[in-house]
Amino acid sequence: MFSSRRFFLPLALAAAALVIGGVLRLPFSVVTSEPPDAGGAAISSQQRPLQALYQVEERALKDGWSSALAETAGSIWWALGDPSEAVAYWQMAGDSEAIRRRLAEAYLELGEWGLASDLLRSLETGADDSTRAWVATQLGLMHAASDPQSARKWLEQAASAESGYASSLAALINTLSVTSNPVRIGMALARLELWQHAEHAFMEAPYDPVALAFLALSREQLGKDGSVYLSAALRLGENDSQVRYLEGLIYRLRGDYEASLAAFIQATALHPDDPALVAELGTAYQHVGDLVSAERWLQFALDLSEGDSAYGARIESLRTEEATLRDAIATMIDSVPIPESETIP
């Protein structure tokens, strides 16, 4: 059940990295430029993506595919949100460190973990410090649930090499120091909004109802359908308040606020003295427009928490702001303690 004990710390992602589509990305130029030839101007990174892509293909029809053109086409498709097309072009772009890094990142986003791992390991030697730190981070994230001890070493290596990564990875490293439970590790990844890696971690616990519910939430966050996993979670944990809580968040994410309210009513009935659950029930009433009930339940959460200022602030902002889904996920994860039986000696 839930506890008021806090384990995870609020984190800001490193300035040197971005989280897009659930993968920790090393920033790079979206569209590279090729020097102009005698017959035409360079392709500008300031152009609209489809306009630039048309110009790339037109030049390729005329002169054939060069490595630079293929790299540019892949970058455009990546910017357009299509990693599969990006991979097809980057595979034609030669064997530079930059291309291998981009391919590895695309494979990660596509869930091609084996292909990604091979490319990442090929980048471990000979790369600059920044790239090696990124590689160590990705290897650590990939193996966090399946091989926690090795993952921790990779992440510590990245954190020591790049100060920006240190603040981003501190909570995850801390989690790997005290538990090998894939559900807890998946929660830590979800707390960082690394949904692709979180989904991968939760798959390590296929018979745990909370893991299945988190797996459903991870898929929904990635734009996938999590219905099958949510149904399985409810079959195994119909009377688990955490599963019902996550069910409520999934329906909220989908915009089905009536179903979300029903789920939070069930969750609160199962564990009525948990302020995190009671507060989210208040938020669920807020989403359906019942501000009177919302304020009543938020006040109850404040009383249960013995005056926790976080719940007081939510009451203050009730009529002007809506609590974000991110806050709801963080509240749920932060309130789950790690049992002594899970700690690493």
Side-chain angles (χ1 to χ4, degrees):
M1 290 297 183
F2 293 153
S3 163
S4 59
R5 172 186 167 191
R6 297 299 175 99
F7 177 74
F8 295 91
L9 300 174
L11 296 175
L13 287 170
L18 302 172
V19 173
I20 303 173
V23 175
L24 189 63
R25 293 185 174 183
L26 190 65
F28 53 79
S29 176
V30 169
V31 180
T32 58
S33 297
E34 185 180 77
D37 57 22
I43 298 167
S44 170
S45 61
Q46 302 303 314
Q47 290 176 302
R48 295 177 180 177
L50 291 178
Q51 180 185 4
L53 185 62
Y54 175 80
Q55 189 175 347
V56 168
E57 292 177 346
E58 186 177 48
R59 188 177 298 181
L61 283 173
K62 178 183 175 183
D63 301 327
W65 282 100
S66 67
S67 178
L69 278 178
E71 181 178 356
T72 299
S75 297
I76 295 170
W77 280 111
W78 180 260
L80 289 170
D82 193 332
S84 295
E85 287 289 343
V87 164
Y89 285 99
W90 284 337
Q91 286 174 336
M92 300 192 301
D95 187 31
S96 68
E97 177 185 312
I99 290 298
R100 277 183 284 151
R101 189 180 70 202
R102 295 184 181 194
L103 278 170
E105 190 171 345
Y107 286 137
L108 285 169
E109 190 147 318
L110 291 168
E112 297 285 355
W113 304 101
L115 293 171
S117 182
D118 290 343
L119 281 170
L120 288 168
R121 290 185 177 279
S122 76
L123 287 165
E124 282 187 293
T125 57
D128 59 33
D129 290 344
S130 177
T131 298
R132 282 199 299 272
W134 181 80
V135 167
T137 300
Q138 295 296 349
L139 287 170
L141 295 175
M142 285 176 63
H143 296 285
S146 59
D147 187 358
Q149 292 191 25
S150 296
R152 178 186 168 191
K153 291 177 183 177
W154 272 311
L155 295 176
E156 287 175 339
Q157 175 186 331
S160 64
E162 289 282 344
S163 59
Y165 285 123
S167 60
S168 299
L169 299 173
L172 179 56
I173 292 171
N174 193 19
T175 300
L176 294 173
S177 300
V178 297
T179 183
S180 59
N181 185 321
V183 184
R184 309 292 173 171
I185 294 167
M187 287 182 185
L189 291 164
R191 188 69 170 84
L192 287 168
E193 298 182 67
L194 295 170
W195 295 108
Q196 191 86 11
H197 296 290
E199 178 189 21
H200 189 55
F202 291 125
M203 286 182 175
E204 295 287 327
Y207 305 110
D208 185 302
V210 174
L212 288 167
F214 260 116
L215 179 53
L217 178 63
S218 300
R219 290 181 63 82
E220 296 281 341
Q221 289 281 356
L222 292 166
K224 305 175 185 178
D225 186 0
S227 299
V228 171
Y229 297 102
L230 178 58
S231 296
L234 290 168
R235 283 196 302 272
L236 292 173
E238 182 180 7
N239 295 319
D240 188 313
S241 61
Q242 294 181 42
V243 170
R244 289 295 189 176
Y245 185 109
L246 291 165
E247 179 192 17
L249 295 185
I250 289 167
Y251 281 120
R252 185 183 298 174
L253 180 61
R254 294 176 180 176
D256 189 343
Y257 298 125
E258 293 290 346
S260 178
L261 174 59
F264 279 115
I265 289 172
Q266 290 283 339
T268 306
L270 290 165
H271 199 179
D273 60 349
D274 187 279
L277 275 174
V278 171
E280 288 312 317
L281 177 58
T283 300
Y285 275 112
Q286 180 182 358
H287 277 288
V288 298
D290 186 348
L291 297 183
V292 174
S293 295
E295 186 166 358
R296 183 173 70 249
W297 285 103
L298 286 170
Q299 181 62 53
F300 186 31
L302 180 63
D303 295 342
L304 285 172
S305 68
E306 299 181 347
D308 188 325
S309 60
Y311 299 119
R314 287 174 69 167
I315 295 173
E316 290 293 327
S317 64
L318 176 64
R319 299 181 186 280
T320 57
E321 299 178 11
E322 291 184 350
T324 66
L325 186 67
R326 177 185 299 175
D327 292 337
I329 294 168
T331 298
M332 188 271 186
I333 293 171
D334 289 354
S335 65
V336 181
I338 295 181
E340 291 299 321
S341 61
E342 289 183 13
T343 58
I344 295 174

